[in-house]
Structure formats: structure tokens, C-alpha cells
Amino acid sequence: MDAVMARRRRSRIHATEAAHRRRRSSSSSAPLDSLPDDVLEAILLRLPRQPSSRPRASAVSRRWRGIVTNPMFHRRFHAHHRKPPVLGVFERRRKFIITPVLAAPDRIPAERLSISRWMTSRDCDATGCRHGRVLAIHRLLPRLVVFAPLTGEERNLPVVPDEFRECNYHHGAVLCAASGKEDHVHGFCHESPFKVAFLSRYPTRNRFITSVYSSESGTWGGLKEIEAPFKVALVDVPATLVGNVLYWMLSSDNVCAAMLEFDLDTQSLAVIKGPSDMNYSGSHRIIKIEQGTVSWLRFKFPILEIWLRQKNCHGLATWLQHKTVDMHDILGIPPRVSKKWHQKILGYEEDSNVIILYVDDSAYMLDLNSMKSTKLDESRLMNSCHPFTSFYPPDMAI
């Protein structure tokens, strides 16, 4: 009898607490509900860009749900925030997978994101991830496919021009066709036209060849070639997009020493040497800083260096050391005596200016603008990866 009475008391307590929560929820939204629609929308536009913010706001009331699920609100929300969050990273372990990087309640289950069936082949790998799409390449054929993880859309590209079949190393980059336009926000471009820049190197010559595919015309453009002024090879890291220019890292004698520049507007190629005064040990990546300037990042724990390429007073482009940072405090790793650190750069995303670092069995996501880091829960993340950014649709459950 005592047990029955105890269960009844607990039931009454839970019912009372639930009623209190409902009253608090309704009362907390009451002042806002009296506001005009345009004022309420202006407030809701300032919700965090994280995936859970709009679904949770839509649960407050029917009026809020009508606002935050309106397609026009989506466009204004994207324009207000400009930069979408990093939802996860694509990487290859035994198979190609996506690893979520956000904590609950913003963590996106991996099964919510689609991966092309092409990626089951060991000869197929991702060579670029940008603006909501992933570029996969079968290196033996070569054949390419572009897929959008959020929508499941997949596009098999036409066979590359015959000239590429003479080459032995291939790389590529996918980007929204509106790239370079200031009024366009790359937050949800999955259904927009796209471009693919395909790059290869001839096996017996120090010469590179490239062509651009347009999803609007469905065809490959003309071929562009360049002879490098010194012996270089493509480094197996994704290209970096700065404005409407793509940059690939080049190595000489197994050291990152230069970059290949491809201007998508002028369709021109150039080889640019890296900073001459820099220590080339460690891991390297071409990045974009806040001002939209191409930069060179060197990481050898605990030091992170950033070099800018700018024109001097004579109008000549030169490299200037911009920043040197000790990463001990930023990553929360105390100094140690006689310690040989295992470190490398795993991935980089230029729109959010976020880099993924690996130091001694742990992965960290570093915001290069704020220099704030987040230790990722997924400690197994130790392969090169492709950060995936997007605004998450509020009508998709998390």
C-alpha cells in the first residue's frame, strides 16, 4: 500500500512540474507575441546559427513556427549570419564516413547526411568539399561525381577531356557558380548551379593542365596549361578558394614550397613561391584571412605562423609575417619537457576560417579569427578530412 501511495505522489508531482513548465513557456513568449510580425522576425533573425535554434523556436507557438519556416525568413537568416556552421567532417577510415563535430543539441546524426555510393570504392576519394557539396573522384578512370549530403542530390559529370588521360595525378575543387558575388550567401547552395575545376600534372613534364565544368551548360570548358618554372608536385590537400581564385599547395623536394593559382575569372594559371624566410618544417596550408587575403599557415606545435601575401610600395607582391601564436594555452595543452609532439593539419574550411588540428591523439577545431579552439569528442579523427558547412534546414529533425 505504501508503494502505491508513493507512486501516486510522484505522479502528482511530475504532473505539477509539467504544468509549471507549460505555463513558463507560454508566459515567456507572451511579451514577444504582442509585437508586430516585422519586429518579431527581426528578433528571430538573431537566433544562433546552430542547427537546433530554429526548430526549438518553431516549437514555441504556431506564430513563431510560421515565421521561422518561411522560405523568405531562411534567406534573411542566412544573409544575417553570412557564414554557416561546421556540421561535420568527411574522412576515410576503412570506408568514407562523416563524423559530426557539434555537441548536443546541435549534433547532426551521421545518418541524416547522404554519402555517394561511389565512395565505397577504395579507388574513389573526396578531393573537395565546399558550399554544401562534395566532389568525389575515381583516380584510375578518372571520373567525377558531385553530391549534396543534406539533400542526397548526386550528379555524374561527363568524361573529362582526353588530354587528362595522359596525366598521372588528378585533383579538383567544387564551388557554387555564384562564388565571388558579394550579395550571395553560401549557406544553402545545394540546389544552385555549381562549377568543378579539374587539375592534373603530366607525368614526364613539369606542366599542369586544368579545365572547368559548368552544371548550367553541362560541359567542360577550354583547357588551360602552365609550365612550372621549377620542379614541383601537387600536395594531396584540398584547394583553397579566396575570392574567385583557387590555390593548390605545391611541393619541391618533398617540402611545401609554392602554390598554384587559378583565377576563375580570367582563366589564368600562375605558380607562386612561398615565403622565403619561413621555416618549412611542420604542416602547411593555404588559408584566407578575414580581409579576404590569401595567406600561408605553418603549424609545428606549439607554434602556429600566418604569412600574408601583399603588394609592397613598389607594387610587387611579397610575403609578410602576420602572426605567430603559441598554441599551448589556446588548445589547453600544458608545456612538457623533452616532448616530441605528434601533430598535423587535418582540414581547413575557408568560409568559416576554421582549421582542424591534430596533436597527440586529440583533434581540435580552431577558429582562426577568434583563436578559440574546441576539442572534438571524436578522438579517432586523425586522417585528413573535409569540413562540411551548411545552415541546417529547420524542417529537418536533428
Side-chain angles (χ1 to χ4, degrees), residues 223-289:
L223 300 174
K224 303 294 177 181
E225 297 189 29
I226 187 173
E227 187 84 29
F230 52 97
K231 189 175 181 180
V232 290
L234 276 168
V235 179
D236 192 18
V237 297
T240 299
L241 181 67
V242 181
N244 211 27
V245 181
L246 286 165
Y247 295 91
W248 280 275
M249 184 76 75
L250 300 176
S251 66
S252 179
D253 296 325
N254 296 319
V255 175
C256 294
M259 58 187 185
L260 180 65
E261 176 189 77
F262 180 41
D263 191 315
L264 291 158
D265 291 329
T266 62
Q267 294 285 293
S268 59
L269 287 162
V271 174
I272 301 170
K273 286 188 176 182
S276 58
D277 298 331
M278 184 178 65
N279 181 340
Y280 279 90
S281 62
S283 298
H284 300 254
R285 192 60 61 95
I286 300 167
I287 66 168
K288 177 182 73 173
I289 64 169

Side-chain angles (χ1 to χ4, degrees), residues 82 176-189 192:
R82 300 295 298 178
C176 174
S179 182
K181 298 181 180 179
E182 292 185 2
D183 59 339
H184 182 78
V185 179
H186 297 297
F188 204 68
C189 303
S192 302

